Protein backbone atom coordinates (compact mmCIF):
# COMPACT_ATOMS: atom_id res chain seq x y z
CA UNK A 1 0.00 0.00 0.00
CA UNK A 2 1.47 3.35 -0.98
CA UNK A 3 1.74 6.21 1.49
CA UNK A 4 -1.07 8.07 -0.27
CA UNK A 5 -3.43 5.08 -0.07
CA UNK A 6 -2.66 4.66 3.59
CA UNK A 7 -3.41 8.33 4.23
CA UNK A 8 -6.69 7.95 2.32
CA UNK A 9 -7.69 4.89 4.30
CA UNK A 10 -6.84 6.64 7.57
CA UNK A 11 -8.95 9.68 6.61
CA UNK A 12 -11.91 7.52 5.59
CA UNK A 13 -11.60 5.60 8.83
CA UNK A 14 -11.48 8.83 10.85
CA UNK A 15 -14.62 10.08 9.09
CA UNK A 16 -16.50 6.89 9.94
CA UNK A 17 -15.32 6.97 13.55
CA UNK A 18 -16.53 10.52 14.18
CA UNK A 19 -20.13 9.37 13.75
CA UNK A 20 -19.77 7.05 16.71
CA UNK A 21 -18.58 9.54 19.32
CA UNK A 22 -21.43 10.48 21.68
CA UNK A 23 -19.55 12.70 24.14
CA UNK A 24 -21.64 15.76 23.34
CA UNK A 25 -24.86 13.75 23.36
CA UNK A 26 -24.17 12.35 26.81
CA UNK A 27 -22.30 14.97 28.74
CA UNK A 28 -20.99 14.21 32.21
CA UNK A 29 -23.99 15.56 34.11
CA UNK A 30 -27.17 13.96 35.42
CA UNK A 31 -30.58 14.41 33.89
CA UNK A 32 -33.52 14.31 36.31
CA UNK A 33 -33.90 10.83 37.85
CA UNK A 34 -30.99 9.43 35.82
CA UNK A 35 -29.26 6.38 37.29
CA UNK A 36 -25.99 7.04 39.06
CA UNK A 37 -23.00 4.74 39.50
CA UNK A 38 -21.63 7.03 42.19
CA UNK A 39 -24.25 6.74 44.91
CA UNK A 40 -24.76 3.40 46.61
CA UNK A 41 -28.53 3.34 46.00
CA UNK A 42 -28.07 4.19 42.32
CA UNK A 43 -30.04 7.46 42.42
CA UNK A 44 -28.72 10.76 41.16
CA UNK A 45 -31.78 12.59 42.55
CA UNK A 46 -30.87 12.58 46.21
CA UNK A 47 -33.51 12.30 48.93
CA UNK A 48 -33.61 15.27 51.28
CA UNK A 49 -31.90 14.93 54.62
CA UNK A 50 -34.54 14.64 57.34
CA UNK A 51 -35.47 18.04 58.72
CA UNK A 52 -34.34 19.98 55.64
CA UNK A 53 -36.09 23.32 55.23
CA UNK A 54 -35.62 24.81 51.79
CA UNK A 55 -35.41 28.57 51.45
CA UNK A 56 -38.93 29.96 51.27
CA UNK A 57 -40.48 26.77 52.64
CA UNK A 58 -40.42 27.37 56.38
CA UNK A 59 -44.20 26.94 56.47
CA UNK A 60 -44.92 28.71 59.73
CA UNK A 61 -48.48 29.59 58.68
CA UNK A 62 -50.42 26.67 60.20
CA UNK A 63 -53.67 27.77 58.58
CA UNK A 64 -52.24 27.70 55.05
CA UNK A 65 -49.89 24.73 55.39
CA UNK A 66 -51.60 22.47 57.93
CA UNK A 67 -55.21 23.56 57.68
CA UNK A 68 -55.43 24.24 61.40
CA UNK A 69 -56.18 27.32 63.51
CA UNK A 70 -55.17 27.02 67.16
CA UNK A 71 -54.80 23.28 66.65
CA UNK A 72 -58.38 22.84 65.41
CA UNK A 73 -59.36 22.15 61.75
CA UNK A 74 -59.77 25.53 60.07
CA UNK A 75 -63.35 26.64 59.47
CA UNK A 76 -62.30 29.35 57.02
CA UNK A 77 -60.15 29.40 53.90
CA UNK A 78 -56.70 31.00 54.33
CA UNK A 79 -57.23 33.23 51.29
CA UNK A 80 -60.14 34.71 49.39
CA UNK A 81 -62.00 32.30 47.11
CA UNK A 82 -62.53 33.96 43.75
CA UNK A 83 -63.94 32.58 40.51
CA UNK A 84 -60.34 32.00 39.31
CA UNK A 85 -59.60 29.92 42.41
CA UNK A 86 -62.77 27.86 41.83
CA UNK A 87 -61.83 27.26 38.19
CA UNK A 88 -58.35 26.17 39.27
CA UNK A 89 -59.98 23.94 41.89
CA UNK A 90 -62.20 22.31 39.29
CA UNK A 91 -59.23 21.64 37.01
CA UNK A 92 -57.13 20.14 39.84
CA UNK A 93 -60.10 18.16 41.20
CA UNK A 94 -60.71 16.65 37.77
CA UNK A 95 -57.03 15.68 37.49
CA UNK A 96 -56.34 14.34 40.97
CA UNK A 97 -59.66 13.41 42.58
CA UNK A 98 -62.17 12.42 39.90
CA UNK A 99 -60.68 8.96 39.28
CA UNK A 100 -62.11 7.85 42.66
CA UNK A 101 -64.52 10.57 43.84
CA UNK A 102 -66.03 10.96 40.35
CA UNK A 103 -66.68 14.30 38.69
CA UNK A 104 -69.64 15.17 40.92
CA UNK A 105 -68.14 13.90 44.17
CA UNK A 106 -70.42 10.91 44.72
CA UNK A 107 -67.46 8.55 45.30
CA UNK A 108 -68.21 6.35 42.31
CA UNK A 109 -65.23 7.19 40.11
CA UNK A 110 -63.89 4.73 37.55
CA UNK A 111 -61.14 3.31 39.78
CA UNK A 112 -63.76 2.57 42.45
CA UNK A 113 -65.79 0.73 39.81
CA UNK A 114 -62.60 -1.29 39.15
CA UNK A 115 -62.19 -2.35 42.75
CA UNK A 116 -60.76 0.41 44.91
CA UNK A 117 -62.55 0.92 48.24
CA UNK A 118 -65.43 3.33 47.75
CA UNK A 119 -64.93 6.70 49.47
CA UNK A 120 -67.95 8.37 51.07
CA UNK A 121 -69.94 10.76 48.91
CA UNK A 122 -69.20 14.45 49.54
CA UNK A 123 -72.94 14.98 49.74
CA UNK A 124 -73.59 13.18 53.01
CA UNK A 125 -74.46 15.21 56.11
CA UNK A 126 -71.13 14.58 57.87
CA UNK A 127 -69.00 15.88 54.99
CA UNK A 128 -71.33 18.76 54.18
CA UNK A 129 -70.79 19.91 57.77
CA UNK A 130 -67.04 19.17 57.87
CA UNK A 131 -64.85 22.29 57.97
CA UNK A 132 -62.42 23.02 55.09
CA UNK A 133 -59.52 22.20 57.41
CA UNK A 134 -60.77 18.61 57.67
CA UNK A 135 -60.57 18.14 53.89
CA UNK A 136 -57.15 19.77 53.89
CA UNK A 137 -55.92 17.24 56.42
CA UNK A 138 -57.23 14.30 54.38
CA UNK A 139 -55.57 15.54 51.17
CA UNK A 140 -52.33 16.25 53.04
CA UNK A 141 -52.07 13.10 55.14
CA UNK A 142 -54.38 10.63 53.46
CA UNK A 143 -57.31 8.76 55.00
CA UNK A 144 -58.23 5.07 54.95
CA UNK A 145 -57.45 3.64 51.52
CA UNK A 146 -56.62 7.09 50.15
CA UNK A 147 -52.93 7.90 49.95
CA UNK A 148 -51.91 11.46 50.69
CA UNK A 149 -51.51 13.82 47.74
CA UNK A 150 -49.02 16.14 49.41
CA UNK A 151 -46.31 15.37 46.86
CA UNK A 152 -48.63 16.03 43.90
CA UNK A 153 -50.81 18.96 44.90
CA UNK A 154 -49.28 22.21 46.25
CA UNK A 155 -51.05 23.73 49.27
CA UNK A 156 -52.77 26.54 47.35
CA UNK A 157 -54.21 23.97 44.96
CA UNK A 158 -55.46 21.87 47.89
CA UNK A 159 -57.47 24.83 49.14
CA UNK A 160 -58.74 25.50 45.62
CA UNK A 161 -59.86 21.86 45.38
CA UNK A 162 -61.66 22.15 48.73
CA UNK A 163 -63.42 25.30 47.53
CA UNK A 164 -64.55 23.38 44.45
CA UNK A 165 -65.75 20.48 46.63
CA UNK A 166 -67.86 23.06 48.49
CA UNK A 167 -69.26 24.16 45.12
CA UNK A 168 -70.04 20.53 44.24
CA UNK A 169 -71.80 20.10 47.58
CA UNK A 170 -73.90 23.18 46.86
CA UNK A 171 -74.69 21.96 43.36
CA UNK A 172 -76.09 18.66 44.60
CA UNK A 173 -78.23 20.24 47.32
CA UNK A 174 -79.43 23.44 45.69
CA UNK A 175 -83.01 24.47 45.14
CA UNK A 176 -84.33 26.37 42.12
CA UNK A 177 -84.63 29.50 44.25
CA UNK A 178 -80.85 29.62 44.68
CA UNK A 179 -80.22 29.49 40.94
CA UNK A 180 -79.71 32.96 39.42
CA UNK A 181 -82.85 34.02 37.53
CA UNK A 182 -81.02 34.14 34.21
CA UNK A 183 -79.92 30.51 34.47
CA UNK A 184 -83.23 28.92 35.50
CA UNK A 185 -84.69 28.75 32.02
CA UNK A 186 -81.52 26.99 30.78
CA UNK A 187 -81.65 24.40 33.57
CA UNK A 188 -85.34 23.76 33.06
CA UNK A 189 -84.96 23.27 29.33
CA UNK A 190 -82.05 20.85 29.96
CA UNK A 191 -84.10 18.94 32.54
CA UNK A 192 -86.97 18.70 30.06
CA UNK A 193 -84.80 16.99 27.46
CA UNK B 1 3.10 -13.47 -20.02
CA UNK B 2 -0.65 -13.86 -20.19
CA UNK B 3 -2.87 -10.85 -19.84
CA UNK B 4 -3.96 -10.25 -16.27
CA UNK B 5 -7.18 -8.42 -17.15
CA UNK B 6 -9.80 -9.75 -19.54
CA UNK B 7 -10.76 -7.26 -22.34
CA UNK B 8 -14.20 -6.77 -20.71
CA UNK B 9 -12.46 -4.89 -17.91
CA UNK B 10 -12.12 -1.93 -20.28
CA UNK B 11 -15.88 -1.46 -20.16
CA UNK B 12 -16.03 -2.12 -16.43
CA UNK B 13 -13.39 0.48 -15.69
CA UNK B 14 -15.17 3.09 -17.81
CA UNK B 15 -18.48 2.38 -16.08
CA UNK B 16 -16.94 2.58 -12.66
CA UNK B 17 -15.16 5.86 -13.41
CA UNK B 18 -18.29 7.56 -14.73
CA UNK B 19 -20.51 5.74 -12.25
CA UNK B 20 -18.46 6.73 -9.21
CA UNK B 21 -20.63 9.75 -8.59
CA UNK B 22 -23.71 7.51 -8.51
CA UNK B 23 -22.04 4.96 -6.24
CA UNK B 24 -21.05 7.74 -3.85
CA UNK B 25 -24.53 9.25 -4.08
CA UNK B 26 -26.08 5.90 -3.29
CA UNK B 27 -23.77 5.43 -0.34
CA UNK B 28 -24.70 8.86 1.07
CA UNK B 29 -28.40 8.18 0.46
CA UNK B 30 -28.13 4.77 2.13
CA UNK B 31 -26.34 6.27 5.16
CA UNK B 32 -29.03 8.94 5.45
CA UNK B 33 -31.79 6.31 5.25
CA UNK B 34 -30.05 4.32 7.96
CA UNK B 35 -29.82 7.37 10.25
CA UNK B 36 -33.52 8.10 9.73
CA UNK B 37 -34.64 4.50 10.08
CA UNK B 38 -36.37 3.24 13.22
CA UNK B 39 -33.17 1.25 13.86
CA UNK B 40 -31.46 4.54 14.70
CA UNK B 41 -34.31 6.87 15.72
CA UNK B 42 -36.32 4.27 17.68
CA UNK B 43 -39.53 5.70 16.19
CA UNK B 44 -42.44 3.26 16.55
CA UNK B 45 -40.27 0.83 18.50
CA UNK B 46 -42.06 -0.10 21.73
CA UNK B 47 -39.66 -0.24 24.66
CA UNK B 48 -39.57 -3.19 27.00
CA UNK B 49 -40.08 -1.98 30.55
CA UNK B 50 -39.47 -3.66 33.91
CA UNK B 51 -43.25 -3.51 34.41
CA UNK B 52 -45.33 -3.45 31.20
CA UNK B 53 -47.12 -0.18 31.94
CA UNK B 54 -49.91 0.56 29.47
CA UNK B 55 -50.81 4.17 28.74
CA UNK B 56 -53.65 2.79 26.64
CA UNK B 57 -55.26 1.21 29.69
CA UNK B 58 -54.67 4.08 32.10
CA UNK B 59 -55.41 6.97 29.72
CA UNK B 60 -57.98 5.67 27.23
CA UNK B 61 -59.47 2.98 29.47
CA UNK B 62 -59.65 4.89 32.76
CA UNK B 63 -59.48 8.50 31.60
CA UNK B 64 -56.68 9.48 33.98
CA UNK B 65 -55.23 12.90 33.18
CA UNK B 66 -51.56 13.10 32.05
CA UNK B 67 -50.82 15.39 34.99
CA UNK B 68 -51.92 12.85 37.59
CA UNK B 69 -48.54 11.16 37.08
CA UNK B 70 -46.50 13.71 35.11
CA UNK B 71 -47.04 16.33 37.79
CA UNK B 72 -44.27 18.77 36.94
CA UNK B 73 -45.03 19.18 33.24
CA UNK B 74 -46.68 22.57 33.73
CA UNK B 75 -43.95 24.12 35.86
CA UNK B 76 -40.69 22.50 34.88
CA UNK B 77 -38.49 21.39 32.03
CA UNK B 78 -38.98 17.78 33.07
CA UNK B 79 -42.49 16.36 32.92
CA UNK B 80 -41.79 13.99 35.79
CA UNK B 81 -41.92 10.24 36.24
CA UNK B 82 -44.23 9.28 39.11
CA UNK B 83 -42.87 7.78 42.33
CA UNK B 84 -43.88 4.20 43.11
CA UNK B 85 -46.33 5.62 45.64
CA UNK B 86 -48.46 6.94 42.76
CA UNK B 87 -48.83 3.38 41.39
CA UNK B 88 -49.63 2.04 44.84
CA UNK B 89 -52.35 4.67 45.38
CA UNK B 90 -54.59 2.35 43.37
CA UNK B 91 -52.60 -0.88 43.16
CA UNK B 92 -52.47 -1.37 46.91
CA UNK B 93 -56.06 -2.56 46.38
CA UNK B 94 -56.63 -2.96 42.64
CA UNK B 95 -54.76 -5.95 41.13
CA UNK B 96 -52.96 -6.10 44.46
CA UNK B 97 -51.68 -9.65 43.98
CA UNK B 98 -50.95 -9.54 40.24
CA UNK B 99 -47.51 -11.08 39.55
CA UNK B 100 -47.01 -8.44 36.84
CA UNK B 101 -46.93 -5.76 39.54
CA UNK B 102 -44.53 -7.50 41.89
CA UNK B 103 -41.68 -5.13 40.95
CA UNK B 104 -43.90 -2.18 41.92
CA UNK B 105 -44.73 -3.70 45.28
CA UNK B 106 -41.09 -4.63 45.83
CA UNK B 107 -40.05 -1.07 45.04
CA UNK B 108 -42.60 0.25 47.54
CA UNK B 109 -41.45 -2.19 50.22
CA UNK B 110 -37.74 -1.60 49.77
CA UNK B 111 -37.77 2.06 48.67
CA UNK B 112 -35.64 1.10 45.65
CA UNK B 113 -36.75 2.88 42.46
CA UNK B 114 -38.29 1.02 39.54
CA UNK B 115 -35.77 1.34 36.72
CA UNK B 116 -37.99 2.50 33.86
CA UNK B 117 -36.43 2.59 30.41
CA UNK B 118 -36.32 6.08 28.99
CA UNK B 119 -38.27 6.49 25.73
CA UNK B 120 -37.58 10.12 24.86
CA UNK B 121 -34.04 11.35 25.32
CA UNK B 122 -32.70 14.48 23.67
CA UNK B 123 -28.97 15.00 23.17
CA UNK B 124 -27.50 16.96 26.10
CA UNK B 125 -26.62 19.91 23.85
CA UNK B 126 -30.28 20.56 23.10
CA UNK B 127 -32.15 22.52 25.78
CA UNK B 128 -35.81 21.59 26.10
CA UNK B 129 -38.49 22.72 28.52
CA UNK B 130 -41.93 21.09 28.74
CA UNK B 131 -43.59 23.93 30.64
CA UNK B 132 -43.13 26.59 27.96
CA UNK B 133 -44.50 24.32 25.22
CA UNK B 134 -47.54 23.42 27.30
CA UNK B 135 -48.29 27.03 28.23
CA UNK B 136 -47.96 28.14 24.60
CA UNK B 137 -50.66 25.75 23.46
CA UNK B 138 -48.62 22.83 22.16
CA UNK B 139 -50.39 19.65 23.21
CA UNK B 140 -48.93 16.37 24.46
CA UNK B 141 -50.07 14.38 21.44
CA UNK B 142 -48.51 16.82 18.98
CA UNK B 143 -45.06 15.50 19.91
CA UNK B 144 -45.79 12.25 21.75
CA UNK B 145 -48.48 10.95 19.39
CA UNK B 146 -51.65 9.21 20.55
CA UNK B 147 -50.19 7.95 23.81
CA UNK B 148 -53.69 6.76 24.73
CA UNK B 149 -53.32 4.11 22.02
CA UNK B 150 -49.94 2.79 23.17
CA UNK B 151 -49.99 -0.47 25.16
CA UNK B 152 -46.24 -0.10 25.64
CA UNK B 153 -44.84 3.34 25.02
CA UNK B 154 -42.87 4.15 21.91
CA UNK B 155 -41.38 7.25 20.39
CA UNK B 156 -43.72 8.80 17.85
CA UNK B 157 -41.27 11.32 16.38
CA UNK B 158 -37.55 11.29 15.66
CA UNK B 159 -36.68 14.24 17.96
CA UNK B 160 -34.20 15.12 15.20
CA UNK B 161 -33.41 18.78 14.74
CA UNK B 162 -35.28 19.02 11.44
CA UNK B 163 -38.36 17.74 13.24
CA UNK B 164 -38.04 20.39 15.99
CA UNK B 165 -37.60 23.07 13.31
CA UNK B 166 -40.67 21.94 11.39
CA UNK B 167 -42.66 23.49 14.24
CA UNK B 168 -40.23 26.17 15.42
CA UNK B 169 -40.29 27.73 11.97
CA UNK B 170 -44.07 28.03 11.98
CA UNK B 171 -45.65 27.05 15.33
CA UNK B 172 -49.02 28.39 14.22
CA UNK B 173 -49.57 25.16 12.29
CA UNK B 174 -49.54 23.06 15.48
CA UNK B 175 -51.09 25.32 18.12
CA UNK B 176 -54.27 24.44 19.99
CA UNK B 177 -56.30 26.05 22.77
CA UNK B 178 -54.63 25.74 26.18
CA UNK B 179 -57.75 23.99 27.44
CA UNK B 180 -57.09 21.16 24.95
CA UNK B 181 -53.37 20.70 25.60
CA UNK B 182 -53.84 17.56 27.69
CA UNK B 183 -56.68 16.16 25.61
CA UNK B 184 -56.07 12.92 23.75
CA UNK B 185 -59.30 13.31 21.80
CA UNK B 186 -58.27 16.56 20.15
CA UNK B 187 -57.37 16.26 16.46
CA UNK B 188 -55.55 18.82 14.28
CA UNK B 189 -58.67 19.27 12.14
CA UNK B 190 -60.57 20.58 15.16
CA UNK B 191 -59.08 24.02 14.67
CA UNK B 192 -59.47 26.11 11.53
CA UNK B 193 -56.63 28.19 10.09
CA UNK B 194 -58.32 31.39 11.35
CA UNK B 195 -58.65 29.99 14.86
CA UNK B 196 -55.01 28.94 14.82
CA UNK B 197 -53.95 32.41 13.69
CA UNK B 198 -56.02 33.88 16.53
CA UNK B 199 -54.45 31.49 19.08
CA UNK B 200 -50.95 32.26 17.79
CA UNK B 201 -51.65 35.94 18.29
CA UNK B 202 -53.09 35.42 21.77
CA UNK B 203 -50.19 33.21 22.94
CA UNK B 204 -47.57 35.43 21.25
CA UNK B 205 -46.24 32.60 19.12
CA UNK B 206 -43.44 33.43 16.77
CA UNK B 207 -40.93 31.63 14.63
CA UNK B 208 -38.05 30.62 16.94
CA UNK B 209 -35.12 29.46 14.84
CA UNK B 210 -32.23 31.24 16.47
CA UNK B 211 -29.55 28.66 17.38
CA UNK B 212 -29.43 29.84 20.99
CA UNK B 213 -33.12 29.10 21.55
CA UNK B 214 -32.23 25.42 21.97
CA UNK B 215 -28.44 25.37 22.07
CA UNK B 216 -27.59 27.48 25.07
Amino acid sequence: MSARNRLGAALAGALLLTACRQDMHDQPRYEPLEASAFFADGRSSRPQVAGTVARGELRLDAHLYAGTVNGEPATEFPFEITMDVLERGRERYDIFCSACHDYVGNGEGIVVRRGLKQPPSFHIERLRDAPPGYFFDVITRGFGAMYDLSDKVPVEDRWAIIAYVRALQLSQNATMVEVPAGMRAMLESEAGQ
Amino acid sequence: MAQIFHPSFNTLSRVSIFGAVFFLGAAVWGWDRLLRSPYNTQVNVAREQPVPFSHKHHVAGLGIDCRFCHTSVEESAFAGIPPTKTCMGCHSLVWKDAPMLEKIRESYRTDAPVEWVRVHDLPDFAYFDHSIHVSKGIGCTTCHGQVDEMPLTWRENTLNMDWCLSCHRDPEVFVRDRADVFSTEWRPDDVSAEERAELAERYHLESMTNCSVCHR
Side-chain angles (χ1 to χ4, degrees):
Chain A
M1 207 190 251
S2 74
R4 181 180 285 187
N5 282 353
R6 236 175 284 153
L7 183 69
L11 271 176
L15 273 175
L16 282 173
L17 277 176
T18 50
C20 305
R21 292 292 298 269
Q22 294 288 316
D23 294 2
M24 295 290 279
H25 277 74
D26 298 313
Q27 294 165 20
R29 60 173 166 79
Y30 291 122
E31 286 169 15
L33 304 183
E34 189 173 329
S36 164
F38 181 77
F39 294 102
D41 64 359
R43 306 178 203 208
S44 61
S45 303
R46 306 305 304 155
Q48 283 181 356
V49 175
T52 304
V53 178
R55 182 175 278 257
E57 293 193 5
L58 187 52
R59 306 195 154 194
L60 281 178
D61 185 346
H63 191 178
L64 180 64
Y65 292 109
T68 58
V69 174
N70 300 326
E72 293 293 313
T75 52
E76 302 280 330
F77 286 86
F79 51 82
E80 193 191 348
I81 303 303
T82 62
M83 199 59 195
D84 284 345
V85 173
L86 275 176
E87 290 288 352
R88 174 79 181 176
R90 163 153 66 183
E91 185 189 67
R92 297 294 122 174
Y93 177 93
D94 289 354
I95 296 170
F96 294 108
C97 315
S98 63
C100 296
H101 292 281
D102 212 349
Y103 292 94
V104 291
N106 58 14
E108 292 169 21
I110 187 150
V111 179
V112 171
R113 281 176 263 151
R114 301 294 172 92
L116 201 73
K117 191 166 174 283
Q118 182 168 355
S121 163
F122 290 137
H123 310 303
I124 60 172
E125 193 77 30
R126 178 174 70 83
L127 290 180
R128 279 167 51 74
D129 294 340
Y134 171 78
F135 291 92
F136 189 91
D137 185 67
V138 171
I139 300 175
T140 307
R141 299 199 296 158
F143 186 89
M146 173 178 158
Y147 282 28
D148 74 85
L149 291 159
S150 57
D151 57 335
K152 290 189 176 59
V153 187
V155 283
E156 288 82 5
D157 284 347
R158 288 177 222 165
W159 288 110
I161 286 172
I162 298 162
Y164 181 64
V165 169
R166 280 282 181 256
L168 284 178
Q169 289 173 329
L170 265 181
S171 78
Q172 300 296 305
N173 286 278
T175 57
M176 217 30 147
V177 185
E178 293 168 83
V179 178
M183 310 287 280
R184 281 180 209 163
M186 193 185 83
L187 273 182
E188 273 159 358
S189 76
E190 272 180 15
Q193 275 169 12
Chain B
M1 186 178 124
Q3 274 190 320
I4 297 173
F5 293 108
H6 189 267
S8 66
F9 272 74
N10 287 337
T11 319
L12 266 179
S13 62
R14 272 188 213 107
V15 167
S16 56
I17 286 165
F18 291 112
V21 64
F22 296 106
F23 290 134
L24 272 175
V28 170
W29 178 83
W31 184 245
D32 184 65
R33 295 313 301 172
L34 184 71
L35 287 183
R36 288 166 191 281
S37 69
Y39 170 76
N40 186 49
T41 63
Q42 298 293 313
V43 168
N44 296 331
V45 180
R47 294 288 169 92
E48 290 283 330
Q49 300 285 356
V51 180
F53 177 83
S54 167
H55 277 97
K56 185 178 178 180
H57 168 68
H58 290 86
V59 179
L62 302 178
I64 293 173
D65 193 281
C66 310
R67 292 164 288 184
F68 187 87
C69 298
H70 304 293
T71 49
S72 56
V73 70
E74 290 171 300
E75 292 98 35
S76 115
F78 185 54
I81 295 294
T84 305
K85 183 178 149 195
T86 301
C87 309
M88 291 300 284
C90 295
H91 290 296
S92 59
L93 288 173
V94 184
W95 294 103
K96 72 188 184 75
D97 298 315
M100 197 198 277
L101 297 175
E102 177 50 33
K103 281 199 179 139
I104 298 291
R105 293 189 294 269
E106 186 193 336
S107 162
Y108 197 64
R109 278 196 307 269
T110 61
D111 199 32
V114 178
E115 294 183 31
W116 300 104
V117 177
R118 191 157 187 172
V119 177
H120 295 84
D121 192 11
L122 279 174
D124 287 356
F125 49 76
Y127 172 86
F128 176 81
D129 191 310
H130 271 99
S131 65
I132 187 66
H133 289 83
V134 165
S135 65
K136 290 275 185 178
I138 301 301
C140 308
T141 56
T142 300
C143 300
H144 293 291
Q146 292 301 135
V147 177
D148 59 319
E149 293 168 11
M150 298 182 186
L152 283 175
T153 312
W154 60 79
R155 194 188 280 189
E156 182 77 8
N157 287 295
T158 59
L159 311 190
N160 283 348
M161 182 168 149
D162 62 345
W163 173 78
C164 298
L165 281 172
S166 68
C167 182
H168 267 232
R169 283 200 182 95
D170 192 8
E172 192 181 310
V173 177
F174 299 94
V175 72
R176 60 174 95 169
D177 197 293
R178 271 182 202 144
D180 297 324
V181 161
F182 297 95
S183 166
T184 51
E185 273 130 45
W186 182 90
R187 294 292 180 273
D189 298 341
D190 293 355
V191 207
S192 68
E194 295 83 58
E195 285 171 305
R196 282 193 274 110
E198 192 271 318
L199 286 171
E201 172 105 14
R202 181 151 33 112
Y203 299 158
H204 307 294
L205 297 191
E206 51 189 285
S207 177
M208 302 274 274
T209 53
N210 194 309
C211 308
S212 64
V213 170
C214 309
H215 304 294
R216 39 171 96 177

